[in-house]
Amino acid sequence: MRAIFFFLLISMAAATAKASHAQSIPNQIHPLRPTAGSAGRHVPQINCLSWRLAVETNNIQNWKLVPLQCESYVGHYMLGKQYRDDCNAVVVAAIQYAKTLKIAKDGKDVWVFDIDETTLSNLPYYARSDVAFGATKFNGTKFDGWTREGKAPAVPGALFLYRTLLAMGIKPVFITGTKEEFRQVRIANLKKVGYHSWVKLILKGVNDTGSSVMYKSGKRAELVKAGYRIVGNIGDQWSDLLGDFVGDRTFKLPDPMYYIG
């Protein structure tokens, strides 16, 4: 029965993610082959697959840019099938864990979601030639302009996780580094793609200083102080999952396009 359940979860997550993501990102590139460079080509002096593994496991930290030699590799990965499969694998693991929980009836069991590259995807922005999947220097003005458009699609599998947790009685909480000035834009964007309700939507105010780890730890501490139980936590950055009050279980989604410490 567990094997059948696992298969169904993968199938449902993949179908949901593929429908929403493929519509928003046209001209899908073929799935990336597990080689040193993009499309099977060898890239001298750097193995892009190994670089991505080191990034995802937090062995490479505080990096500023995707190596220029790996721009095509990262692009193929993010636009191809492998990225969607990887996201869905994380979602299935999260749901399997959630199924083991005994949820209280007081509405205090919550699951913390990051937003960028966790619930909403900025891939249409990062796929632009002047952004180059994170191989060019981050431009805050341009990124804010993209955020204001409110056109970010859902991350593959994330909406399926959100809906499954809601059905189980686990309440979502969004904690994001997005600036408070974008609250209404974010609300509209979240609802547009299917995230219709939450306990709290916490954005970064002008007085929220320090690292992302410090900021998110502080916000999670406030949740716990208010009586909430963080049963799960999912994000694309290690800074979403490190620090204090991270929750009973954490889940890391792939994101080789940028690093937030």
Side-chain angles (χ1 to χ4, degrees):
M1 287 296 293
R2 288 179 63 86
I4 295 174
F5 175 68
F6 187 75
F7 174 77
L8 288 174
L9 279 177
I10 292 177
S11 300
M12 292 173 66
T16 303
K18 185 175 182 180
S20 63
H21 204 60
Q23 290 174 2
S24 60
I25 310 293
N27 303 320
Q28 298 284 334
I29 299 177
H30 62 78
L32 187 65
R33 302 172 192 170
T35 56
S38 64
R41 296 194 303 273
H42 176 69
V43 178
Q45 299 180 343
I46 187 168
N47 184 313
C48 295
L49 178 58
S50 296
W51 175 84
R52 182 170 65 85
L53 175 63
V55 163
E56 297 293 5
T57 53
N58 207 30
N59 289 317
I60 295 179
Q61 301 178 359
N62 301 312
W63 53 279
K64 303 298 183 183
L65 297 172
V66 169
L68 189 60
Q69 305 98 310
C70 297
E71 174 192 344
S72 293
Y73 174 92
V74 172
H76 277 74
Y77 171 72
M78 293 300 299
L79 293 177
K81 182 175 181 292
Q82 189 62 57
Y83 170 66
R84 298 194 298 277
D85 287 348
D86 290 349
C87 287
N88 286 325
V90 176
V91 166
V92 168
I95 292 174
Q96 289 282 70
Y97 157 71
K99 292 287 186 181
T100 68
L101 300 175
K102 293 183 178 180
I103 307 303
K105 303 295 184 180
D106 58 2
K108 292 292 186 177
D109 291 318
V110 300
W111 193 290
V112 172
F113 288 81
D114 173 50
I115 290 185
D116 292 295
E117 271 57 68
T118 300
T119 50
L120 295 178
S121 172
N122 296 305
L123 190 50
Y125 170 79
Y126 275 90
R128 295 176 183 176
S129 60
D130 59 332
V131 183
F133 300 101
T136 62
K137 185 178 179 180
F138 178 75
N139 186 312
T141 301
K142 286 184 178 180
F143 185 76
D144 285 351
W146 154 253
T147 302
R148 286 191 186 93
E149 293 179 23
K151 296 180 179 179
V155 167
L159 194 56
F160 182 69
L161 173 62
Y162 164 86
R163 289 170 174 166
T164 301
L165 294 176
L166 271 180
M168 295 173 61
I170 301 173
K171 309 298 184 183
V173 171
F174 295 108
I175 303 180
T176 174
T178 302
K179 291 178 284 189
E180 179 65 37
E181 66 184 89
F182 295 108
R183 175 173 292 275
Q184 295 307 314
V185 172
R186 278 305 200 197
I187 289 174
N189 199 160
L190 286 166
K191 290 187 174 182
K192 180 180 179 181
V193 300
Y195 303 101
H196 53 79
S197 64
W198 46 81
V199 172
K200 289 181 179 293
L201 172 59
I202 302 171
L203 288 83
K204 198 168 188 177
V206 294
N207 295 322
D208 291 319
T209 58
S211 68
S212 180
V213 172
M214 292 174 58
Y215 159 65
K216 294 201 170 186
S217 291
K219 298 305 179 183
R220 292 192 300 262
E222 292 175 8
L223 287 173
V224 172
K225 186 176 180 180
Y228 291 102
R229 296 177 294 273
I230 303 175
V231 299
N233 182 0
I234 187 167
D236 68 299
Q237 299 290 317
W238 281 100
S239 54
D240 299 328
L241 311 174
L242 298 175
D244 300 325
F245 304 100
V246 295
D248 296 337
R249 275 288 304 272
T250 61
F251 295 88
K252 169 74 168 64
L253 287 165
D255 181 4
M257 298 188 297
Y258 58 85
Y259 177 92
I260 298 176

